[in-house]
Amino acid sequence: MKKYRHLFFDLDHTLWDYDRNVQESLSELYEIYGLENLGVPSNHDFYKAFLKVNTGLWDHYNVGKIDKDTLRKVRFRRIFDHFGAHDVVVPEAMESDFMQRTSSKPHLFPYSKEILTYLKGKYELHVITNGFNESQALKMTSSGIHAYFDLVVTSETTGHKKPDRRIFEYAMGQLGADAEECLMIGDNPVSDIQGARNAAIDQVFFNPHAVDCQPNATYTIAKLKDLESFL
């Protein structure tokens, strides 16, 4: 078994339960802003439309087609358009309210804190994320995991997004680390697994939903506790 020194974690969908936290926030927004009266049929429909629109926007952001400000500016406008509510004025505070509420949610994937506690001291723990600085910092603080990590690297700070190898090389440069000392743990076959491969870093594919990952990761786990079997 290779001896690692640095463990890089993805944040959203790996430690921080993005879907649960977003769903809670959208449910609150649906009631607060009376979206039933603005053309959004139900809370469930609101959530489904958000996932579709948001995924598309993030796909564009990750390949440099749009910037952070554009993503945030058009996100809820496109959700209303999805329901044919083209003439509805999107409440001005909705985007900032959504960001604050969601990033303040504490929900983590099962065994997140336990595995971080188990690993801390045996390895140096870090985060590499394509998220934005202020929201990712708030998520980590609100969920009580910020203190576990020595280095947090965001795409906003580096100007490079996973799977670009340069975001991984930036992290290794900050740590004075070589690729063979590092291991990337994440849920996304492209940004986390292929991205780490691009930088010659071994990978752990966190795969709770048993989706296909090509090329195969160095290791695959269904739950975070499985890391204990080899780390």
Side-chain angles (χ1 to χ4, degrees):
M1 182 69 66
K2 185 182 290 189
K3 178 64 176 176
Y4 301 106
R5 180 181 174 192
H6 299 280
L7 304 185
F8 296 131
F9 281 88
D10 175 51
L11 184 59
D12 295 341
H13 303 287
T14 298
L15 293 170
W16 193 77
D17 192 342
Y18 182 91
D19 291 340
R20 180 180 177 184
N21 291 315
V22 163
Q23 192 165 16
E24 278 193 9
S25 295
L26 293 176
S27 179
E28 293 165 6
L29 293 179
Y30 188 82
E31 298 300 326
I32 290 169
Y33 291 95
L35 298 189
E36 184 177 7
N37 301 318
L38 296 179
V40 183
S42 71
N43 182 25
H44 179 65
D45 290 324
F46 186 40
Y47 176 63
K48 286 173 57 180
F50 176 90
L51 291 183
K52 180 178 180 179
V53 169
N54 193 57
T55 298
L57 289 172
W58 271 95
D59 286 345
H60 282 101
Y61 172 78
N62 284 334
V63 297
K65 291 185 177 180
I66 61 173
D67 60 17
K68 166 186 172 181
D69 291 339
T70 300
L71 187 155
R72 291 183 171 178
K73 181 178 180 180
V74 305
R75 177 159 48 190
F76 283 100
R77 175 68 271 162
R78 291 192 181 179
I79 291 171
F80 278 89
D81 288 343
H82 173 85
F83 294 110
H86 305 295
D87 298 329
V88 171
V89 176
V90 179
E92 188 174 338
M94 185 175 289
E95 176 64 33
S96 59
D97 197 355
F98 168 75
M99 291 300 303
Q100 180 65 32
R101 286 176 182 276
T102 303
S103 299
S104 298
K105 297 292 182 184
H107 304 300
L108 298 167
F109 275 93
Y111 212 71
S112 289
K113 285 187 179 178
E114 290 86 349
I115 197 62
L116 292 174
T117 299
Y118 168 82
L119 295 170
K120 186 70 173 175
K122 301 174 73 173
Y123 304 91
E124 294 184 34
L125 308 182
H126 319 286
V127 167
I128 301 180
T129 172
N130 280 358
F132 304 131
N133 291 345
E134 71 275 18
S135 58
Q136 300 305 77
L138 183 54
K139 289 172 187 177
M140 295 172 67
T141 300
S142 299
S143 59
I145 61 173
H146 192 275
Y148 287 99
F149 298 103
D150 300 308
L151 177 69
V152 177
V153 174
T154 70
S155 57
E156 188 173 15
T157 294
T158 64
H160 307 296
K161 308 176 187 72
K162 298 178 295 183
D164 192 320
R165 62 182 175 79
R166 288 174 290 182
I167 190 171
F168 299 94
E169 290 171 347
Y170 174 90
M172 289 188 287
Q174 292 293 302
L175 298 167
D178 296 323
E180 58 267 24
E181 299 178 280
C182 301
L183 182 67
M184 178 71 202
I185 302 156
D187 73 293
N188 192 296
V190 176
S191 61
D192 298 318
I193 306 310
Q194 185 58 54
R197 285 173 64 92
N198 291 343
I201 294 172
D202 285 355
Q203 327 89 41
V204 178
F205 181 37
F206 175 52
N207 189 17
H209 304 298
V211 301
D212 185 50
C213 179
Q214 295 298 330
N216 290 329
T218 313
Y219 311 95
T220 298
I221 60 173
K223 52 187 181 297
L224 292 172
K225 184 174 175 59
D226 294 342
L227 290 171
E228 293 181 3
S229 66
F230 57 91
L231 291 177

